[in-house]
Amino acid sequence: MIAIDYKALKSALATPCKIAIIPHRNPDGDAIGSTLALCHYLKKLGHEAVVVSPNEAPSFLHWMPGFETILNFENHRDLALKTLEQASFVFTLDFNHLSRVGHDMQPNLERLKTTFVMIDHHQQPDTYAKYTYSDTEICATCQMVYHFIEAMGDLHLIDKDIANCLYTGILTDTGSFKFASTTATTHKVAAALIDKGAQNASIHRAIYDTNSPSRLHLLGCALKNMEILPEFHTAIIHLSQAELDQFDYKKGDTEGLVNYGLSIKGIVFAVIFIENAAEKIVKISFRSQGSFSVNEFARAHFNGGGHDNAAGGRGEDSLENTITYFKSILPKYKNQLDK
Ligand code: 5GP
Ligand code: MN
């Protein structure tokens, strides 16, 4: 755990200023929830705060309070650049290495002379921030933002909007409170957020009950493509660009698919390979159960990272070659996967 010197940060934030808040590229519920919640909170302190997202968020997050105020770097580059340049503080949330904003936005953050603040729960944090709050034991950056506001002595400022945003990230990053990272404190924070007005049942519906028929057909295709490698307790799923096109793929449609592999009895390692023709990459999601670290695996072989049991990465070759390469390195991990 790395903690912030709250006394110093509080005095640095004592006078109203311009603040930019950045989630990672392809932001998820925790990234959007934490940045929007922090934005609402900093505005209540009198600051001019804006969330600048590297790119668009999936549509199941568009209902979130304040979502319409997010500046999308990809679509409004000039305004986003101006906002970054004028900011006295840049908060980076739910990531810990500037490469996670994508190669387009990254150099524009690196050249800023402003004060960076990092709040994040991923492993191996980089050192770009003057103030770093890093804790890999915490399930969601949204829970950390709650603790951050608590440490600032401002829990009374958490209103319904902030509570809804924070609850959303905790819900999505814990897989609805089922992952091992969910602790008693997580439940206490969630309960406190409900007390402050978080609409837990409606949030769940807004996030998870938004399937379109084509998304379910895409799920059918993914499950049909699933391959079990019993000797490695591994399940892999792949989706080609042609299949995504066939089922009218929209951002967010593949969210959570990788977990189907892990739901099979005896499987400890589940992977999904998704071809992205526009970016000429194969996006890979890794999930594990137990001691096998997908963070280490993704870092070692697929230019990625994340957490022990959930990580992402990419392949730069074709879908087929990426899967072949993946299978070729699995035997090295047989012992770890047998545990
Ligand atoms: P997902 O598979 O859902 O995209 O990501 C799983 C976890 O790994 C998330 O916490 C995400 O932030 C992290 N992650 C995903 N892709 C990458 C990547 O390319 N690099 C790193 N360092 N982390 C990633
Ligand atoms: Mn997160």
Side-chain angles (χ1 to χ4, degrees):
M1 209 268 254
I2 305 171
I4 282 176
D5 176 350
Y6 284 97
K7 210 169 150 207
L9 183 60
K10 258 182 104 94
S11 75
L13 288 172
T15 40
C17 60
K18 294 188 175 181
I19 300 176
I21 308 165
I22 326 279
H24 54 78
R25 190 176 158 80
N26 298 323
D28 55 9
D30 191 31
I32 295 295
S34 59
T35 51
L36 280 178
L38 185 74
C39 188
H40 291 305
Y41 164 66
L42 291 173
K43 280 180 175 167
K44 283 191 148 185
L45 292 183
H47 301 295
E48 215 177 292
V50 186
V51 176
V52 181
S53 178
N55 65 345
E56 183 60 289
S59 58
F60 64 81
L61 298 174
H62 289 195
W63 61 270
M64 294 183 71
F67 185 84
E68 66 290 348
T69 67
I70 296 178
L71 252 179
N72 180 331
F73 182 85
E74 221 166 60
N75 298 349
H76 300 282
R77 196 189 168 88
D78 290 346
L79 189 54
L81 280 174
K82 203 169 133 194
T83 304
L84 292 176
E85 275 151 19
Q86 291 180 347
S88 314
F89 282 87
V90 171
F91 281 72
T92 65
L93 268 59
D94 201 34
F95 68 93
N96 62 21
H97 197 281
L98 293 181
S99 61
R100 296 281 287 126
V101 300
H103 48 245
D104 197 16
M105 189 165 165
Q106 183 180 0
N108 294 295
L109 285 184
E110 282 170 346
R111 67 186 163 79
L112 295 177
K113 304 258 179 298
T114 62
T115 304
F116 278 82
V117 185
M118 180 206 296
I119 304 178
D120 179 64
H121 65 141
H122 294 89
Q123 304 205 344
Q124 291 152 276
D126 203 355
T127 53
Y128 59 81
K130 177 166 183 191
Y131 300 97
T132 295
Y133 173 24
S134 162
D135 193 338
T136 58
E137 305 269 297
I138 296 186
C139 63
T141 301
C142 278
Q143 186 183 320
M144 298 178 75
V145 170
Y146 181 92
H147 297 316
F148 174 85
I149 296 174
E150 190 174 27
M152 294 285 280
D154 287 331
L155 277 188
H156 61 284
L157 292 182
I158 296 186
D159 58 15
K160 188 174 166 183
D161 283 351
I162 297 176
N164 275 324
C165 290
L166 293 181
Y167 188 93
T168 299
I170 294 174
L171 179 76
T172 56
D173 260 30
T174 58
S176 304
F177 302 95
K178 72 170 176 279
F179 298 152
S181 56
T182 311
T183 62
T185 307
T186 307
H187 283 287
K188 283 176 193 155
V189 169
L193 293 172
I194 293 172
D195 277 341
K196 299 230 179 232
Q199 295 148 295
N200 53 317
S202 336
I203 294 174
H204 199 281
R205 275 193 64 74
I207 298 287
Y208 295 111
D209 298 345
T210 55
N211 276 323
S212 59
S214 57
R215 197 222 169 202
L216 291 184
H217 291 142
L218 181 69
L219 166 65
C221 174
L223 294 180
K224 220 167 170 174
N225 289 347
M226 186 159 63
E227 194 180 336
I228 309 296
L229 308 167
E231 68 275 39
F232 302 115
H233 309 282
T234 296
I236 64 177
I237 294 176
H238 50 83
L239 285 169
S240 67
Q241 184 67 57
E243 287 166 332
L244 296 170
D245 293 344
Q246 183 189 349
F247 296 108
D248 193 25
Y249 166 80
K250 298 203 178 44
K251 209 179 180 91
D253 279 355
T254 54
E255 200 87 15
L257 292 187
V258 63
N259 294 312
Y260 283 93
L262 217 50
S263 73
I264 298 168
K265 200 171 172 189
I267 294 297
V268 299
F269 187 22
V271 190
I272 188 166
F273 300 87
I274 302 169
E275 186 177 21
N276 184 328
E279 295 189 18
K280 296 199 175 75
I281 60 160
V282 177
K283 166 76 182 112
I284 314 170
S285 288
F286 303 97
R287 299 293 185 268
S288 67
Q289 206 137 260
S291 61
F292 181 63
S293 170
V294 288
N295 169 52
E296 298 297 335
F297 187 89
R299 270 175 203 274
H301 304 289
F302 292 98
N303 202 15
H307 311 279
D308 284 340
N309 295 127
R314 55 165 60 198
E316 315 273 348
D317 206 337
S318 68
L319 181 61
E320 204 184 334
N321 289 348
T322 303
I323 295 172
T324 305
Y325 172 63
F326 170 82
K327 287 180 180 171
S328 78
I329 51 185
L330 266 189
K332 276 212 281 191
Y333 293 88
K334 181 152 173 53
N335 282 343
Q336 289 182 50
L337 291 164
D338 272 341
K339 273 187 200 154

